[in-house]
Amino acid sequence: MPRIAYFGPQGTFTEQAARGFAADSEVDSELLPHDTVPAALDAVRRGEADGACVPVENSVEGAVPATMDALAEGEPLVAVAEAVLPVRFSVLVRPGGGPVRTVASHPHALAQVRHWLAANLPDAAVVATTSTSAAAVAVLRGDYDAAVSAPVAVRHYPLEVLASDVADVSDAKTRFLLVRPPGVVPGPTGRDRTSIVVTAPDRVGVLSDVLTELALRRINLTRIESRPTKGKLGEYRFYVDFDGHVAEPRVGDALAALRRHCPRTRFLGSYPKAVEGSPAPAADNAEFVAAAEWVARIREGRGA
């Protein structure tokens, strides 16, 4: 039975995403909650889990730094699938509880309901917790009066729903990745995303070089963010997502070029996209195949 670690505890949006990945599998999967994103990923690295489901970015609050840092460090892991979930929260309280003086949740969740809280619970103190589910557990324990949590939390904890379908941004979404140890990359589907992390050397124009290699091959950049390496001051990693699959000649050509510019480039996976909408127009791989064949003819003395 495949084992999927996830950023828990039970009752989080990440559990909901992990259940979706498990449902897509042809066999039953065991879900293993972990207290932090690094802990879930390390479970895969130690062989205690076959894969891990982790949040990577939110449409309101941006990237999840814990996931970005943990994927860039340690033994390599690669994404094989993604899921995008709408983010609508429930406000949970103890049965028969009194006035709501404190509200707890993960900082990302609190940021996405701050206007709702100001309008509906203006006198409540807001407290950050390690996850939305941890907030629900704390409410059950009596530490706080209410928790902003994923709706799935009521499946695990005997709490009452004070409010549901709560969100300041109606179409907020979070993207999750299913990551595994390196192995055979799933084949291209025609609607794929490739993710890499580039630790850029300190020299003039390095970021321009990275972007140029993608632009020259008409590869659509979908996300770029920077994070400090936590080592040398002024040294950054660039997390880059773009349309395409490593098996496509134009993408493989671009990755090879990026590796020449930045030797510390880590491949984070090529996987089917879960985002709605049509893919951006891309270069035809046939022209890259033709160009490679032309070079091969020259090298073999078969003419140009």
Side-chain angles (χ1 to χ4, degrees):
M1 176 184 292
R3 300 158 298 170
I4 301 178
Y6 70 91
F7 172 39
Q10 291 180 318
T12 61
F13 285 103
T14 313
E15 180 198 358
Q16 187 176 335
R19 289 184 179 278
F21 288 131
D24 291 338
S25 174
E26 296 180 355
V27 295
D28 293 336
S29 300
E30 180 184 4
L31 301 185
L32 308 172
H34 288 74
D35 290 338
T36 66
V37 167
L41 296 176
D42 285 342
V44 181
R45 293 182 172 115
R46 291 192 301 267
E48 297 169 3
D50 302 294
C53 175
V54 291
V56 65
E57 66 171 325
N58 175 265
S59 61
V60 176
E61 288 300 298
V64 180
T67 300
M68 297 170 68
D69 291 343
L71 287 175
E73 300 165 356
E75 291 297 315
L77 296 171
V78 294
V80 295
E82 74 171 12
V84 176
L85 298 184
V87 179
R88 310 289 291 181
F89 297 95
S90 292
V91 180
L92 307 180
V93 296
R94 290 184 301 280
V100 176
R101 297 186 177 89
T102 53
V103 179
S105 195
H106 187 274
H108 270 206
L110 293 171
Q112 294 177 71
V113 299
R114 60 166 63 95
H115 297 305
W116 187 94
L117 291 175
N120 294 275
L121 297 171
D123 298 324
V126 175
V127 183
T129 57
T130 56
S131 71
T132 58
S133 189
V137 172
V139 169
L140 193 62
R141 237 182 3 242
D143 297 343
Y144 310 113
D145 300 318
V148 176
S149 187
V152 71
V154 295
R155 296 176 54 173
H156 304 291
Y157 311 112
L159 297 172
E160 291 184 349
V161 178
L162 177 68
S164 60
D165 205 33
V166 174
D168 292 344
V169 179
S170 60
D171 60 348
K173 295 178 175 64
T174 296
R175 183 163 70 99
F176 300 86
L177 294 178
L178 177 63
V179 301
R180 292 177 179 165
V184 177
V185 179
T189 65
R191 294 180 56 85
D192 302 293
R193 189 194 312 277
T194 293
S195 298
I196 61 173
V197 56
V198 178
T199 302
D202 184 13
R203 62 174 174 78
V204 175
V206 63
L207 181 56
S208 176
D209 290 340
V210 170
L211 299 179
T212 297
E213 296 297 350
L214 298 178
L216 285 173
R217 295 161 180 84
R218 301 202 294 280
I219 294 175
N220 183 48
L221 181 72
T222 58
R223 182 173 76 107
I224 182 168
E225 299 198 33
S226 64
R227 290 277 299 158
T229 61
K230 300 182 181 181
K232 179 181 177 182
L233 182 65
E235 186 177 66
Y236 288 85
R237 298 188 185 104
F238 294 95
Y239 296 79
V240 182
D241 291 346
F242 52 84
D243 288 342
H245 191 282
V246 65
E248 299 175 38
R250 65 192 177 92
V251 174
D253 198 41
L255 290 174
L258 290 175
R259 182 81 173 194
R260 289 195 297 272
H261 288 297
C262 305
R264 287 189 290 169
T265 295
R266 174 175 285 197
F267 175 70
L268 298 181
S270 289
Y271 45 90
K273 294 170 65 174
V275 179
E276 307 89 340
S278 301
D284 186 349
N285 280 294
E287 65 186 65
F288 291 92
V289 174
E293 291 175 347
W294 175 73
V295 173
R297 288 197 304 271
I298 295 173
R299 287 172 174 168
E300 295 168 5
R302 294 187 286 117

